[in-house]
């Protein structure tokens, strides 16, 4: 591994512009990554962060502007060309093949692999490489058996194995616990300090920027809006640059009254996962009226299956769900009687029919009731269109066309449309929401959060599952931690210790 | 052919079954290995049924015209490659579903095979030479039961070769990557469409060789019902074999054995329930599907992106 001695390249992107159809994704953006620096790229969704790094990595080609490597203007035609220059990228989603071992994944990533692989020499080289690697992973373990944190480490190991000198990380900690994130970023930080690596971190977590990065570049709507040394910036300043306006909590959410009697009760709930093994080992929880109960946890610890059981997408193998002490099963009649609403994650997949119109999707809860259904079988399409227009206006869905297929809306607007449907039935007594703001920009996040608080303040029992601990600490009245298919910890936001919750999430139960 | 059944007894049944299993397993073996390769790359090819049929008619025709059964096998493989390539091209078009394309292939290809097969309905083509495994025995029944087609041994070698390719070659790793997570594979710079195209094309060639066995082995005639659904059963067999080439081999022997049950009992003089015994491969397929398919879990060994773009 003599190549570890080659210094990282000096990367400059000057005046990069890129247009997709009618959208100007980037306009005159410049980035300068000095050798051995750890730089952050901050911005909302759609700010152009991914576009610029994809230009650097050769996935896209800029319309204008210049990329310089060590001062030489360079055209990066393809990801392979970027790799030859020592540029590598870790994506938000994993690029490991789940059914293969760590060793197979690392070797498969190597360029110019011969047809017949000399496994003896490859394994020996790999063993040598892993010996001096900062974290230990068993090369023979199958990737599908690794935790998210371990997978992210393997992704980084893969980049080091490929002798990447400038590592671009696209929200690498979004699937990690706080401790895992610190371990991964701390490791990169050490390599940067040793001068062996430069790093460009795309993130929206100010904590990570402040703790690990030397410099920041902030983008908004495809333009450079600010930046500089982290030491000279503070969090509120960066947030203002990102959003362009200060965030004001809408006063219309009302005030919270004390939680009432228990409404939603889940007792000893068990279910099997996709692989046939039990993933929910007896979940017990209660949500009272006028209270948000948050469930924190790293994804893959049974949260998805829990919501699927609650929503009726997955059968339970044991246990009981009740609303106001009556048994609850997700039939249409019971959902109506119990005023039970669900906002599952990925609503386009789990709560909508992508090819049907926005109005039709909004009518899913009521289409079989008068006035939307007449004479017991005829749909009143006018009434459905009216409902669609109403809800679109009330929840500011954009574009405001009830006849567009819902699949053509952006993620945030699908989320709004489904939330509108769920809350439209008038009186709600239970709302279950899973990762309701995943992938949304700040404005949409604020909108959804306000609606959740408003709903709570109207006396609804809200169960909120999220992978974002900060979101839960901000919204929830009680926080439960889920790990390995069990509720392992309960706390309140006032008493919560994020580090302790992180340990619980990672499965270190005291 | 028929010697004294009563002198052979249980031993005779066992030998007849083993011989029948080896013979009957050949089409299953080739089709399932072809389908295994196809599915490992993430695509489903139900058209295997018709590739089997086209392989059978091509091998028969070429063997009849040229007098060389091996040329027949080669021609069948080429036709199988063409059909595989057609399926690969079809299923890589946007919003074309693998299963629908496969069913369209079955309808189109059966028509084609019956059209070309019309003039071959009567005659008998030169057959592949057989390998005598029963020369140690003096019993005629055993000797005839153990005359095995060389394709059987080629199939065994192929299964091990395929396993070696999947685990030891870079192309094998690429096929598995394309089948398990095409997005990740693309991020690794793998040309997923090309890898799949090659895998499906080779898979088609393998299945067609299985078809060649149907017409180039006793009784060596072509008939329209000759494939008898074996191409579709082989798709079920791949599930049963958990997408492992070596397990495909064992499963093919099991299905071949089930198919041999009726004929070998009959050759020993057991004539009752002949049609019921003949139905045993179909019953076995049903049993396999019921035993392996549940909504509660994913199948072990299944490529993660099977049937997805």
């Amino acid at each position: 591994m003599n190549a570890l001695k080659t210094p990282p390249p000096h990367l400059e992107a000057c005046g990069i512009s890129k247009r997709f159809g009618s959208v100007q994704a980037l306009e005159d953006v410049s980035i300068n990554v000095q050798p051995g620096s750890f730089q952050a790229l901050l911005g909302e969704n759609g700010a152009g962060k991914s576009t610029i790094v994809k230009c650097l990595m050769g996935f896209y080609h800029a319309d204008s502007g210049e990329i310089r490597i060590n001062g030489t203007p360079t055209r990066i035609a393809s990801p392979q060309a970027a790799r030859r220059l020592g540029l590598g990228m870790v994506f938000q989603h994993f690029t490991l093949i789940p059914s293969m071992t760590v060793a197979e994944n690392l070797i498969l990533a190597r360029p110019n692999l011969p047809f017949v692989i000399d496994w003896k020499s490859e394994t020996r080289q790999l063993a040598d490489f892993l010996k001096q690697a900062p974290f230990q992973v068993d090369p023979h373990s199958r990737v599908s058996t690794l935790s998210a944190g371990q997978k992210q480490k393997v992704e980084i190991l893969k980049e080091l194995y490929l002798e990447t000198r400038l590592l671009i990380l696209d929200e690498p900690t979004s699937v990690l616990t706080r401790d895992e994130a610190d371990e991964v970023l701390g490791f990169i930080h050490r390599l940067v300090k040793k001068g062996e690596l430069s790093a460009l971190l795309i993130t929206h977590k100010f904590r990570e920027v402040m703790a690990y990065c030397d410099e920041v570049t902030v983008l908004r709507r495809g333009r450079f809006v600010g930046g500089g040394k982290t030491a000279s910036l503070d969090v509120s300043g960066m947030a203002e640059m990102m959003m362009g306006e200060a965030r004001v909590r809408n006063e219309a959410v009302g005030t919270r009254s004390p939680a009432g009697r228990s409404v939603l009760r889940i007792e000893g709930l068990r279910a099997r996962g996709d692989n046939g093994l039990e993933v929910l080992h007896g979940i017990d929880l209660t949500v009272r009226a006028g209270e948000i109960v948050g469930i924190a946890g790293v994804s893959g610890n049974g949260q998805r299956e829990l919501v699927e059981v609650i929503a009726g997408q997955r059968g339970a193998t044991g246990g009981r769900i009740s609303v106001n002490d009556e048994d609850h099963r997700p039939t249409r009649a019971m959902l109506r009687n119990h005023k039970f609403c669900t906002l599952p994650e990925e609503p386009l997949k789990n709560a909508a029919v992508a090819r049907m119109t926005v109005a039709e999707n909004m009518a899913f809860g009521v289409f079989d009731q008068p006035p939307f259904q007449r004479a017991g079988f005829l749909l009143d399409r006018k009434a459905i269109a009216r409902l669609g227009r109403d809800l679109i206006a009330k929840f500011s869905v954009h574009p405001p066309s009830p006849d567009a297929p819902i699949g053509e809306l952006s993620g945030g607007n699908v989320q709004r449309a489904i939330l509108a449907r769920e809350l439209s039935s008038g009186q709600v007594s239970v709302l279950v929401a899973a990762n309701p703001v995943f992938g949304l920009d700040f404005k949409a996040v604020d909108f959804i959060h306000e609606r959740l608080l408003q709903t709570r303040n109207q006396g609804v029992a809200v169960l909120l599952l999220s992978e974002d601990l900060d979101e839960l600490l901000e919204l929830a009245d009680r926080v439960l931690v889920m790990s390995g298919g069990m509720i392992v910890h309960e706390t309140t936001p006032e008493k919560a210790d994020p580090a302790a919750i992180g340990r619980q999430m990672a499965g270190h139960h005291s | 052919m028929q010697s004294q059944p009563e002198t052979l007894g249980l031993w005779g049944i066992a030998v007849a079954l083993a011989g029948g299993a080896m013979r009957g397993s050949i089409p299953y073996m080739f089709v399932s290995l072809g389908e295994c390769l196809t599915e490992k790359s993430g695509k489903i090819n139900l058209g295997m049924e018709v590739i089997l049929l086209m392989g059978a008619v091509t091998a028969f025709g070429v063997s009849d015209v040229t007098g060389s059964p091996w040329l027949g096998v080669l021609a069948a493989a080429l036709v199988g490659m063409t059909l595989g390539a057609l399926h690969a091209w079809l299923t890589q078009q946007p919003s074309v579903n693998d299963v629908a394309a496969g069913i369209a292939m079955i309808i189109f290809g059966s028509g084609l095979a019956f059209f070309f097969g019309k003039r071959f309905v009567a005659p008998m083509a030169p057959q592949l030479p057989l390998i005598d495994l029963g020369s140690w025995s003096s019993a005629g029944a055993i000797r005839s039961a153990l005359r095995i087609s060389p394709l059987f041994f080629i199939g065994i070698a192929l299964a091990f070769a395929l396993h070696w390719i999947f685990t030891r070659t870079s192309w094998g790793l690429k096929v598995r990557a394309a089948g398990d997570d095409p997005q990740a594979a693309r991020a690794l710079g793998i040309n997923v469409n090309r890898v799949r195209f090659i895998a499906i094309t080779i898979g088609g060639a393998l299945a067609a060789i299985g078809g060649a066995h149907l017409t180039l082995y006793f009784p060596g005639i072509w008939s329209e019902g000759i494939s008898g659904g074996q191409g579709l059963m082989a798709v079920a067999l791949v599930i049963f074999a958990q997408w492992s080439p070596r397990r495909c081999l064992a499963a093919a022997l099991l299905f071949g054995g089930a198919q041999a049950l009726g004929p070998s009992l009959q050759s020993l003089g057991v004539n009752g329930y002949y049609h019921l015994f003949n139905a045993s491969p179909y019953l076995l397929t049903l049993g396999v599907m019921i035993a392996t398919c549940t909504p509660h879990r994913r199948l072990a060994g299944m490529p993660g992106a099977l049937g997805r773009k």
Side-chain angles (χ1 to χ4, degrees):
Chain A
M1 295 282 121
N2 294 326
L4 265 178
K5 305 291 184 285
T6 24
H10 179 196
L11 174 82
E12 292 164 284
C14 311
I16 303 286
S17 296
K18 176 79 189 168
R19 172 181 279 276
F20 294 107
S22 62
V23 182
Q24 187 74 42
L26 284 177
E27 198 172 343
D28 193 24
V29 174
S30 300
I31 288 186
N32 184 354
V33 186
Q34 300 276 359
S37 74
F38 199 153
Q39 183 151 148
L41 192 53
L42 269 172
E44 286 193 69
N45 278 314
K49 298 168 299 189
S50 298
T51 311
I52 189 150
V53 297
K54 282 184 174 165
C55 287
L56 296 178
M57 284 301 296
F59 288 104
Y60 298 153
H61 303 133
D63 299 334
S64 62
E66 190 174 71
I67 296 170
R68 284 186 222 138
I69 305 281
N70 296 328
T72 321
T74 311
R75 202 181 104 81
I76 301 178
S78 67
Q80 286 75 22
R83 180 158 299 299
R84 279 193 294 274
L85 295 166
L87 270 56
M89 182 159 169
V90 170
F91 297 87
Q92 212 168 350
H93 51 263
F94 296 117
T95 59
L96 301 171
I97 308 298
S99 69
M100 290 190 188
T101 64
V102 171
E104 283 176 324
N105 265 290
L106 291 179
I107 288 165
L108 179 62
R110 244 195 50 191
N112 307 323
L113 202 58
F115 181 80
V116 177
I117 300 169
D118 182 354
W119 280 91
K120 248 193 201 138
S121 90
E122 293 286 351
T123 340
R124 203 171 41 239
Q125 277 179 34
L126 195 62
D128 289 345
F129 167 76
L130 288 175
K131 228 179 277 164
Q132 48 144 39
F135 22 71
Q136 293 313 309
V137 184
D138 176 12
H140 302 296
S141 51
R142 210 173 276 273
V143 166
S144 56
T145 64
L146 301 180
S147 72
Q150 285 172 310
K151 281 185 202 164
Q152 198 60 282
K153 288 178 190 171
V154 175
E155 292 278 8
I156 292 168
L157 280 183
K158 188 167 86 183
E159 289 305 320
L160 297 179
Y161 187 61
L162 296 174
E163 297 173 359
T164 291
R165 289 291 157 271
L166 195 160
L167 185 58
I168 298 171
L169 301 131
D170 188 357
E171 302 198 11
T173 60
S174 55
V175 291
L176 306 187
T177 66
R178 202 176 160 127
D179 282 357
E180 283 174 329
D182 282 332
E183 202 181 333
V184 168
L185 292 177
F187 158 62
I188 291 171
H189 187 69
R190 279 194 297 281
L191 285 179
V192 170
K193 287 301 126 209
K194 275 198 271 177
E196 290 175 359
L197 193 73
S198 301
L200 180 60
L201 173 72
I202 296 180
T203 185
H204 58 260
K205 293 180 182 166
F206 295 120
R207 187 186 73 83
E208 294 174 354
V209 176
M210 298 310 278
Y212 297 105
C213 299
D214 312 314
E215 271 182 74
V216 191
T217 299
V218 186
L219 301 184
R220 186 174 74 238
R221 291 185 188 155
R223 287 162 187 259
F224 172 83
V225 288
K229 298 268 177 222
T230 341
S232 65
L233 293 165
D234 61 4
V235 170
S236 62
M238 285 191 281
E240 220 177 291
M241 283 186 226
M242 265 166 89
M243 283 165 292
E245 57 199 75
R247 293 164 75 189
V248 190
R249 177 69 73 212
N250 193 332
E251 295 305 318
V253 297
T255 49
R256 191 192 166 208
S257 42
R261 63 205 160 70
S262 4
V263 176
L264 172 67
R265 198 189 294 259
I266 294 175
E267 290 158 290
L269 195 69
R270 290 171 180 277
R272 289 183 207 280
D274 291 339
N275 56 7
L277 302 175
E278 192 172 86
V279 285
L280 297 180
H281 308 290
I283 299 284
D284 293 291
L285 62 90
T286 307
V287 188
R288 291 179 296 167
E291 151 181 83
I292 296 181
V293 172
I295 294 188
V298 179
S299 74
N301 277 282
Q303 301 97 316
R304 182 169 65 82
E305 289 82 358
L306 175 61
V307 177
E308 284 175 352
V309 171
I310 293 174
Q313 291 171 301
R314 181 179 294 275
T317 50
R320 168 169 188 255
I321 301 175
S322 58
V323 175
N324 295 327
D325 294 324
E326 287 173 32
D327 267 347
H328 176 81
R329 271 171 292 114
T331 61
R332 287 184 77 80
M334 284 211 189
L335 288 174
R336 242 186 327 262
N337 289 343
H338 291 147
K339 296 166 187 153
F340 199 107
C341 298
T342 314
L343 182 64
E345 61 183 356
E346 295 183 70
L348 197 57
K349 196 174 113 197
N350 288 310
V353 179
R355 287 184 193 178
M356 290 174 78
T357 68
V358 175
E360 284 167 340
N361 272 285
M362 284 175 159
F364 278 178
V366 290
F367 73 91
D368 52 353
Q369 301 292 306
F372 304 99
Q373 182 174 273
R374 285 182 182 168
F377 72 104
L378 272 178
L379 286 183
D380 184 339
R381 303 200 60 90
K382 277 192 189 138
I384 289 176
R386 216 163 28 239
L387 173 79
R389 276 196 302 277
D390 257 21
L391 292 179
I392 283 173
K394 237 188 257 173
F395 282 76
S396 5
V397 177
H398 186 84
S401 47
D403 300 325
I406 197 167
E408 290 176 4
L409 268 51
S410 73
N413 282 298
V414 173
Q415 200 75 269
R416 281 171 198 247
I418 299 303
L419 190 64
R421 170 180 87 200
E422 295 297 317
L423 299 180
S424 68
S425 51
Q427 287 167 334
V428 179
S429 62
V430 183
L431 172 65
V432 178
N435 291 315
V437 299
F438 184 78
L440 304 190
D441 62 30
F442 279 115
K443 285 218 181 72
V445 168
D446 281 349
F447 178 86
I448 303 276
H449 282 175
E450 276 162 21
R451 289 294 169 151
L452 289 176
L453 289 174
Q454 202 177 24
T455 308
R456 190 249 344 244
N457 294 344
Q458 287 161 358
V460 175
V462 180
L463 181 63
L464 173 66
L465 294 93
S466 176
E467 283 156 32
D468 183 351
L469 187 57
D470 298 331
E471 177 184 25
L472 292 175
L473 294 178
E474 187 186 336
L475 297 178
D477 304 302
R478 280 191 292 140
V479 175
L480 309 178
V481 178
M482 194 162 167
S483 171
M486 286 181 290
I487 303 289
V488 293
H489 187 65
E490 175 171 347
T491 182
T492 58
E494 296 78 43
K495 285 187 279 183
D497 166 13
I501 293 180
R503 278 194 297 281
Q504 295 288 347
M505 283 174 21
H508 307 297
H509 315 310
S510 41
Chain B
M1 287 280 264
Q2 201 128 340
S3 71
Q4 315 294 295
E6 58 276 16
T7 61
L8 289 166
L10 277 179
W11 168 234
I13 296 183
V15 171
L17 251 181
M22 284 192 262
R23 273 194 304 275
S25 67
I26 294 171
Y28 289 116
M29 209 185 272
F30 279 91
V31 180
S32 66
L33 290 175
E35 184 69 19
C36 182
L37 177 59
T38 305
E39 294 196 8
K40 273 280 186 194
S41 82
K43 287 283 179 185
I44 303 166
N45 189 355
L46 288 186
M48 286 304 192
E49 175 70 16
V50 81
I51 294 180
L52 194 71
L53 210 53
M54 280 299 285
V57 77
T58 308
F60 188 90
V62 170
S63 172
D64 187 35
V65 170
T66 64
S68 160
W70 286 110
L71 268 183
V73 172
L74 186 70
L78 288 175
V79 167
M81 279 178 88
T82 314
L83 288 172
L86 176 65
H87 184 77
W89 176 78
L90 266 177
T91 54
Q92 291 188 357
Q93 301 309 307
S95 66
V96 171
N97 174 279
D98 290 11
V99 173
I103 292 171
M105 288 279 289
I106 292 180
I107 296 167
F108 161 72
S110 326
L112 206 62
F114 296 165
F115 173 74
F116 286 121
K118 273 280 180 274
R119 51 180 291 230
F120 300 125
V121 172
M124 203 175 136
Q127 298 177 18
L128 287 173
L130 298 180
I131 294 169
D132 242 325
L133 291 185
S135 49
W136 46 270
S137 171
S138 54
I142 289 183
R143 292 174 69 152
S144 73
L146 293 181
R147 285 159 60 87
I148 305 299
S149 165
L151 287 178
F152 178 72
F153 303 100
I154 295 176
I156 291 177
L158 257 173
F160 284 93
L162 212 50
H163 175 77
W164 180 80
I165 286 172
F166 283 148
T167 53
R168 291 281 173 249
T169 70
S170 57
W171 188 73
L173 290 190
K174 286 177 187 170
V175 170
R176 285 165 58 201
D180 209 40
D181 192 339
Q183 279 311 332
R186 285 189 189 104
L188 288 170
I190 295 172
N191 186 337
V192 171
N193 281 1
R194 191 170 68 196
V195 165
R196 286 178 165 180
F197 188 90
I198 296 170
I200 302 168
T201 305
I202 297 177
L206 295 185
I209 296 175
H213 170 77
L214 292 175
T215 45
L216 297 183
Y217 179 78
F218 174 83
I221 48 169
W222 156 256
S223 74
E224 295 188 348
I226 198 164
S227 66
Q230 291 182 62
L232 286 173
M233 279 189 270
V235 177
L237 192 152
V238 175
I239 300 172
F240 181 53
Q242 298 176 351
W243 291 268
S244 146
R246 292 183 300 183
R247 286 201 207 106
C248 281
L249 207 59
L253 279 169
L254 180 68
F255 274 67
Q259 190 162 294
L261 201 57
S264 51
L265 284 175
Q266 194 191 33
S267 76
L268 294 166
V270 182
N271 283 312
Y273 308 111
Y274 177 67
H275 291 291
L276 186 66
F277 286 123
N278 273 350
S280 42
Y282 305 95
L283 294 175
L284 191 62
T285 307
L286 265 179
V288 164
M289 297 318 283
I290 293 167
T292 53
C293 294
T294 110
H296 299 300
R297 61 187 162 81
R298 270 190 51 197
L299 298 169
M302 179 165 140
L306 190 60
R308 287 195 281 121
K309 295 281 170 199

